[in-house]
């Protein structure tokens, strides 16, 4: 599964923002790469307060991305190439520019229209304090006070994200009905499914109880302590059971994928029970340290948790919300995931990062289940860690009081051609975020057909994954020295060396694919994954 972030994939009209016609023109790249499906981040009409995750109209295309006819054409063009398409559904909140929110503001404190959102009177004298202590994921309070139609300061509304993203009230039947209708609208147009944004957030604890500010407010509480009142409430599951019935009433295979920052793996697995969603992003995997014990633990736990509910496990290393893994994996092992890196932060080593990223990707592509790729990782793109602060657009930067750089560094338009303006992203120089000069060396045309390039490592990995049916296989762990993971999936043996020293290939093993060159003496160096055909049968652990 390949994630397209439309703003940054390909720009057909030269305004510096990627668009749907740009995607259509580049679909053959995805066929050549060898993916099965794409997931498109939002392209709906939106004020772009959060790069389109603030939706003003769920049934249309924003003019910056094209027209509705382009969406239809994209679906048809993908289908004719055998690619499935998932679109992004944003049900936790609308944009503040959505007609419902306009009606809620106009209706005043007693109006019925307010009930579709989470409006409350404030606390303290004159209601001047927010109704509770919840913090926005992007920083600052999760509440904003409105000015009532009579001009006086009035109620507050809840927004777990930006002020431009008021949370919907999922207790209301009309909210539920509206989203079933939106699902049908896109299913009727031919989409193969939905990636469901903030799937763990829709239902809030009824009393909106205070919650001490969390360091990682988007995550669940881990294995200990109370569950946050805004995340992973049991009530969300009823919504997904309803949606599943809708999808099942359509012909063919249609799927729901949960974006749910929920831990531990067993709680996440609840989202993919047989009558709910089909898959859920495995962020515990994304966040696991680059060490043999940590990777062994997360892989085993993930496989067990999804097996318990009969769902495919998923794997993901990068997306539009996190540091690209070619940069993240160069941070000292065990560093908590930073929210953006700026020019005055320590700069991670790009050579080390790419080496580990390629090893991590080949490890991921050898695992059973669904692997999710993020545009540009097939080129080995690093995070843009020296983006000028004045060009930042992620609301995190302003809302955190400039404490967190945010996510722009992983969203920079991607390079196609080393020597073209905007590296082939668009017809001219324009690019909504500045591209770093080193983009030329990562451009697709510098890597295509070049043995050992990151692109060719991905392409061969994806081809073999398909041929060897790794996605529907199983993991059998094999004995290995400390610092090395070694397992079998079907006819393939997979070895990743996390240790400090090179390791010998198992006796008689034949090399099928590798994330990087072996040592001259044939040993597997540190931070390299190899795919092997068995030699002598080693004992199973
Ligand atoms: C999800 C999206 C992220 C967005 C947030 C609010 O986490 O992936 O980009 O900012 O939801 O919609």
């Amino acid at each position: 599964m390949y994630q397209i972030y439309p703003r940054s994939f390909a720009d057909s009209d030269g305004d510096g923002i990627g668009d749907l016609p740009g995607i259509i023109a580049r679909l053959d790249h995805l066929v050549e790469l060898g993916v099965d499906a794409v997931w498109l981040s939002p392209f709906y009409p939106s004020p772009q307060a959060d790069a389109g995750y603030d939706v003003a109209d769920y049934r249309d295309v924003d003019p910056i991305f094209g027209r509705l006819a382009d969406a239809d054409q994209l679906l048809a063009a993908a289908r004719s190439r055998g690619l499935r398409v998932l679109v992004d559904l944003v049900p936790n909140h609308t944009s503040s520019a959505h007609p419902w929110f306009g009606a809620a503001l106009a209706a005043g404190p007693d109006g019925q229209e307010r009930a579709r959102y989470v409006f409350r009177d404030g606390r303290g004298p004159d209601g001047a304090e927010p109704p509770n202590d919840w913090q926005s994921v992007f920083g600052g309070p999760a509440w904003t006070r409105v000015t009532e139609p009579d001009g006086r300061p009035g109620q507050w509304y809840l927004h777990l994200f930006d002020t431009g993203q008021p949370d919907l009230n999922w207790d209301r039947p009309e909210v539920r009905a509206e989203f079933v209708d939106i699902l049908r609208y896109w299913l009727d147009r031919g989409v193969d499914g939905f990636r469901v944004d903030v799937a763990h957030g829709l239902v809030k604890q009824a009393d909106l109880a205070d919650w001490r500010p969390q360091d990682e407010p988007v995550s669940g509480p881990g294995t200990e302590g109370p569950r946050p009142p805004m995340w992973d409430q049991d009530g969300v599951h009823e919504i997904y059971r309803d949606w599943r019935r809708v999808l099942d009433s359509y012909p063919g295979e249609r799927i729901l994928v949960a974006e749910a920052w929920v831990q531990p793996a067993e709680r996440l697995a609840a989202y993919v029970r047989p009558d709910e969603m089909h898959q859920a992003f495995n962020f515990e995997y994304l966040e696991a340290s680059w060490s043999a014990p940590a990777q062994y633990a997360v892989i085993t736990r993930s496989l067990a948790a999804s097996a318990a509910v009969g769902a495919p496990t998923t794997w993901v290393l990068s997306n539009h919300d996190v540091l690209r893994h070619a940069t993240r994996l160069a941070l000292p092992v065990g560093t908590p995931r930073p929210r953006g890196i700026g020019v005055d932060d320590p700069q991670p080593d790009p050579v080390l990062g790419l080496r580990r990223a390629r090893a991590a990707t080949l490890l991921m592509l050898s695992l059973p289940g669904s692997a999710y790729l993020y545009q540009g990782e097939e080129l080995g793109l690093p995070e843009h860690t020296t983006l000028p602060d004045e060009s930042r657009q992620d609301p995190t930067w302003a809302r955190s009081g400039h404490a967190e750089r945010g996510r722009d560094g992983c969203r920079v338009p991607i390079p196609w051609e080393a020597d073209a303006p905007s590296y082939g992203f668009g017809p001219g120089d324009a690019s909504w975020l500045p591209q770093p000069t080193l983009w030329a060396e990562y451009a697709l045309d510098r890597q295509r057909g070049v043995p050992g390039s990151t692109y060719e490592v991905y392409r061969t990995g994806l081809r073999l994954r398909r041929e060897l049916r790794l996605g529907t296989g199983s993991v059998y762990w094999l004995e290995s020295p400390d610092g090395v993971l070694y397992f079998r999936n079907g006819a393939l043996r997979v070895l990743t060396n996390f240790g400090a020293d090179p390791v010998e290939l198992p006796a008689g093993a034949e090399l099928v694919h590798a994330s990087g060159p072996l040592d001259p003496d044939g040993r597997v160096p540190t931070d390299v994954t190899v795919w092997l055909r068995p030699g002598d049968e080693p004992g199973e652990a």
Side-chain angles (χ1 to χ4, degrees), residues 50 53 93 138 161 195 197-198 259 320-321 407 411:
D50 182 23
Y53 281 94
H93 41 264
F138 297 154
F161 295 90
R195 174 266 188 191
D197 191 65
V198 198
E259 187 225 17
H320 66 293
D321 290 328
R407 304 162 292 176
R411 299 175 173 181

Side-chain angles (χ1 to χ4, degrees), residues 49-328:
D50 182 23
Y53 281 94
D54 46 321
V55 180
D57 178 354
Y58 290 83
R59 297 178 183 80
D60 205 348
V61 172
D62 194 291
I64 63 173
F65 297 124
R67 295 168 310 132
L68 194 52
D70 297 319
D72 289 336
Q73 205 192 324
L74 171 53
L75 289 171
R79 193 176 310 115
S80 73
R81 289 168 173 78
L83 292 168
R84 311 280 184 98
V85 180
L86 309 193
V87 294
D88 215 307
L89 185 74
V90 188
N92 179 68
H93 41 264
T94 68
S95 162
S96 53
H98 190 284
W100 275 8
F101 194 71
L105 290 183
D110 302 321
Q112 276 303 305
E113 289 84 350
R114 288 223 168 159
R116 294 176 183 141
Y117 293 92
V118 186
F119 278 87
R120 292 287 185 281
D121 294 331
R123 297 200 283 206
D126 304 322
E129 302 290 325
N132 69 24
D133 69 354
W134 295 5
Q135 297 291 297
S136 149
V137 171
F138 297 154
W143 296 89
T144 291
R145 193 171 199 188
V146 302
T147 303
E148 298 299 356
D150 65 8
R152 280 190 281 194
Q155 289 193 305
W156 298 71
Y157 68 91
L158 176 68
H159 52 88
L160 292 178
F161 295 90
D162 190 61
T163 41
Q165 295 168 297
D167 279 54
L168 285 164
N169 174 9
W170 276 85
D171 291 339
R172 297 296 300 176
E174 73 263 39
V175 171
R176 293 185 183 229
E178 171 70 356
F179 275 86
V180 165
D181 199 68
I182 293 165
L183 289 176
R184 291 189 181 284
Y185 178 84
W186 288 102
L187 289 166
D188 289 340
R189 297 198 100 83
V191 305
D192 297 290
F194 303 88
R195 174 266 188 191
V196 180
D197 191 65
V198 198
H200 59 316
L202 277 51
V203 173
K204 281 78 181 174
Q205 194 172 295
D207 60 2
L208 303 182
D210 275 338
W211 176 249
R212 68 198 151 81
Q214 297 294 292
D215 291 332
E216 219 11 93
V218 96
S219 300
T223 41
E224 296 185 6
R227 196 140 5 107
M230 67 294 264
W231 304 123
D232 195 26
Q233 301 292 304
D234 291 336
V236 295
H237 296 289
E238 188 187 315
I239 299 169
Y240 305 133
R241 282 193 281 269
D242 279 352
W243 292 3
R244 178 60 179 261
R245 282 190 286 272
V246 174
L247 264 73
D248 285 349
S249 72
Y250 278 77
E253 294 175 306
R254 319 276 180 140
I255 73 163
L256 294 165
V257 181
E259 187 225 17
W261 290 83
V262 169
Q263 290 180 11
E266 293 72 26
R267 274 210 76 89
L268 182 64
Y271 288 74
V272 289
R273 286 176 288 195
D275 58 348
E276 296 194 34
M277 302 217 207
H278 299 75
Q279 300 187 0
F281 295 124
N282 186 350
F283 294 124
E284 198 172 339
Y285 176 71
L286 184 150
E287 296 195 313
S289 296
W290 184 246
S291 77
Q295 296 284 318
Y296 172 82
V298 73
I299 292 170
T300 331
R301 277 237 300 276
S302 307
L303 290 168
S306 49
V309 292
T313 317
T314 70
W315 313 101
V316 59
L317 291 165
S318 282
N319 66 30
H320 66 293
D321 290 328
V322 300
L323 280 192
R324 283 186 174 275
H325 69 286
T327 297
R328 192 178 69 240

